[in-house]
Amino acid sequence: MFSKQDFPNMDKFFRRNLINSLSGFKSVNLVGTANKFGETNLAIFSQIFHLGATPALMGMIVRPDVVPRHSLMNILETKYYTFNHIQESFFEKAHQTSARYQVSEFEAIGLTEEYSKNHSAPYVKEANIKMGLKLREKQELAVNKTIFVIGEVQEIILPKDCLLEDGFIDLEKAGTITCSGLDSYHTTQKLTRLTYAKPDKKPNKF
Amino acid sequence: MFSKQDFPNMDKFFRRNLINSLSGFKSVNLVGTANKFGETNLAIFSQIFHLGATPALMGMIVRPDVVPRHSLMNILETKYYTFNHIQESFFEKAHQTSARYQVSEFEAIGLTEEYSKNHSAPYVKEANIKMGLKLREKQELAVNKTIFVIGEVQEIILPKDCLLEDGFIDLEKAGTITCSGLDSYHTTQKLTRLTYAKPDKKPNKF
């Protein structure tokens, strides 16, 4: 057990690992961007979350201490960006995007740019599930100077056989992985889906 | 493939499932609260994310259409709340907290309240990893009227043998599960941890 009083005395790296692990498994994505000259950038983010379905919005937290913050600069410059799910077949390359390269991470680590006709932000060709987003709002959080980026989903690309009749995406079938902490990657194994909860009966598996 | 123009024409439940699945696997937690009379509430939330390590902050999104929003009311009233990781042994009970009960969900579904000496918000005794939080900030997001709640970690409770020397928490050993969409639950299987990425070499597994 740790209490708040322990945090300031912890080794900085110990504290970062501890607090980054603490929320649970995360929605890790590769974020694809380009500047106005078409120079691309690819970066791994794990502070990504669903914000709402109508309109379809996604939130992302950008740390203030990530310098230089090319992804954020490109998003502000062009307004468009992509989220690309990560699969086991390229998770080591995805992790490697966090190194500081002088050239595009696509080129440096060997992932393939792919484009839709609707915007100029690059997708990761190797990713099975991906979406294009348009910047809706950006704010700096007063509590710790992190940047909160809100984007509206413009398009969704996914394998047909991973989409169920009710709209649910079978992420496991698509090979999407998850992460914990700053550096641990995990595949998943489905327990079950559960029916909508009502007070008078147990949920059914399906 | 879907584009933005398709969204308004989708069946409402199809769209909710689709967009809720889209960000990837999520940090699903049970949020424990009490009102000023000590009446407890327990609710499952999957829009939870790490916001920063110094200070140790967690973000949570509360949907505007969840009525009545007891969790949020209690957090605003007492300022304290808990996040409790979910394990396979009680994920069906965790899911069931989303039904509308007239009594405390702890009692209705059969999970056990547990208290620390530092605050009045209830923990879930059955949960291996949990944390107490104090409200730091609450804002309504203009884009979709969701409520963004920021809390500062006050204490962390976890099994000693799940904490590694470098601060990393072995969530898998603790039995923490993840979810996707609105109703699918998954255990995980670790691929590996990867060393800090540097441009001139491949990351090592450890």
Side-chain angles (χ1 to χ4, degrees):
Chain A
M1 171 153 174
F2 296 104
S3 75
K4 196 187 162 187
Q5 289 71 33
D6 301 323
F7 299 156
N9 304 319
M10 285 175 182
D11 170 78
K12 181 184 160 189
F13 294 102
F14 184 96
R15 183 173 58 230
R16 281 183 61 196
N17 280 328
L18 179 72
I19 307 298
N20 268 282
S21 308
L22 196 58
S23 60
F25 293 100
K26 301 190 277 190
S27 300
V28 63
N29 277 263
L30 281 169
V31 176
T33 59
N35 64 15
K36 62 185 173 186
F37 304 111
E39 293 167 342
T40 60
N41 183 274
L42 190 66
I44 191 165
F45 283 83
S46 63
Q47 291 158 290
I48 279 177
F49 44 96
H50 162 76
L51 260 185
T54 312
L57 298 172
M58 296 287 161
M60 169 170 70
I61 302 292
V62 183
R63 305 302 315 277
D65 52 359
V66 180
V67 179
R69 296 173 296 179
H70 286 141
S71 301
L72 182 62
M73 286 160 58
N74 290 346
I75 292 170
L76 297 176
E77 191 168 291
T78 68
K79 311 298 181 206
Y80 286 93
Y81 54 112
T82 69
F83 285 170
N84 305 268
H85 285 207
I86 298 166
Q87 294 138 225
E88 184 176 352
S89 56
F90 62 87
F91 81 99
E92 286 163 284
K93 289 181 177 181
H95 182 79
Q96 189 64 14
T97 60
S98 57
R100 293 182 188 188
Y101 289 106
Q102 300 302 316
V103 297
S104 169
E105 289 79 8
F106 281 101
E107 183 189 329
I109 63 171
L111 286 170
T112 315
E113 293 174 17
E114 184 179 62
Y115 292 90
S116 86
K117 64 183 190 318
N118 298 313
H119 60 82
S120 60
Y123 286 103
V124 175
K125 185 176 183 183
E126 289 81 356
N128 283 332
I129 298 181
K130 43 206 169 191
M131 72 201 87
L133 297 133
K134 184 177 182 182
L135 178 67
R136 278 290 298 270
E137 195 178 308
K138 173 220 150 199
Q139 52 167 290
E140 186 183 276
L141 300 179
V143 283
N144 68 351
K145 308 288 179 201
T146 51
I147 311 294
F148 178 25
V149 175
I150 300 175
E152 184 169 348
V153 180
Q154 304 294 303
E155 59 184 11
I156 300 168
I157 300 165
L158 78 177
K160 267 186 191 157
D161 63 352
C162 295
L163 179 68
L164 275 59
E165 272 188 14
D166 67 354
F168 177 81
I169 306 170
D170 189 337
L171 300 180
E172 219 159 74
K173 189 170 183 182
T176 297
I177 64 168
T178 179
C179 79
S180 67
L182 288 160
D183 53 26
S184 188
Y185 298 88
H186 310 254
T187 58
T188 65
Q189 183 136 24
K190 184 176 167 178
L191 290 166
T192 185
R193 291 181 73 186
L194 292 173
T195 52
Y196 190 78
K198 295 181 177 178
D200 53 346
K201 60 172 193 166
K202 279 194 166 184
N204 291 316
K205 300 178 180 188
F206 71 106
Chain B
M1 172 153 172
F2 297 104
S3 75
K4 196 186 160 187
Q5 290 73 32
D6 301 322
F7 298 155
N9 303 319
M10 284 175 184
D11 170 77
K12 181 184 160 189
F13 294 102
F14 184 97
R15 184 175 56 230
R16 280 184 61 196
N17 281 328
L18 179 71
I19 307 299
N20 268 282
S21 309
L22 196 57
S23 59
F25 292 100
K26 300 190 278 191
S27 301
V28 64
N29 277 263
L30 281 169
V31 177
T33 59
N35 65 16
K36 61 184 173 187
F37 305 111
E39 293 167 342
T40 59
N41 184 273
L42 190 66
I44 192 166
F45 283 83
S46 63
Q47 291 159 289
I48 279 178
F49 44 95
H50 162 79
L51 260 184
T54 313
L57 298 171
M58 296 285 161
M60 170 170 68
I61 302 293
V62 183
R63 304 301 314 278
D65 51 1
V66 180
V67 179
R69 295 174 297 177
H70 286 141
S71 301
L72 182 61
M73 286 160 56
N74 291 347
I75 291 170
L76 297 177
E77 193 168 289
T78 68
K79 311 298 181 204
Y80 286 92
Y81 54 112
T82 69
F83 285 171
N84 305 268
H85 285 206
I86 298 167
Q87 294 138 226
E88 183 175 352
S89 56
F90 62 89
F91 81 99
E92 286 162 288
K93 291 182 175 181
H95 182 78
Q96 189 63 14
T97 60
S98 56
R100 293 182 190 187
Y101 289 106
Q102 300 301 317
V103 297
S104 169
E105 289 78 8
F106 280 101
E107 184 189 330
I109 63 170
L111 286 170
T112 314
E113 294 175 15
E114 185 180 62
Y115 292 90
S116 87
K117 63 182 192 318
N118 298 314
H119 60 83
S120 60
Y123 286 103
V124 176
K125 187 177 181 182
E126 288 81 357
N128 283 331
I129 297 181
K130 43 208 169 192
M131 73 202 86
L133 298 131
K134 184 177 183 183
L135 178 66
R136 279 290 299 269
E137 196 178 307
K138 173 221 151 199
Q139 52 167 291
E140 186 183 278
L141 300 178
V143 284
N144 68 350
K145 308 288 177 200
T146 50
I147 311 293
F148 178 24
V149 176
I150 300 175
E152 185 169 347
V153 180
Q154 305 295 303
E155 58 184 12
I156 300 168
I157 300 165
L158 80 176
K160 265 186 192 160
D161 63 352
C162 296
L163 180 68
L164 275 61
E165 272 189 12
D166 66 355
F168 177 81
I169 305 170
D170 189 337
L171 300 180
E172 218 158 75
K173 190 170 183 183
T176 298
I177 64 169
T178 179
C179 79
S180 67
L182 288 161
D183 52 25
S184 188
Y185 297 88
H186 309 254
T187 58
T188 64
Q189 182 136 26
K190 184 176 168 179
L191 290 166
T192 186
R193 292 181 74 188
L194 292 172
T195 52
Y196 189 80
K198 294 183 178 179
D200 52 347
K201 61 170 193 167
K202 279 194 164 183
N204 291 317
K205 299 179 179 185
F206 72 108

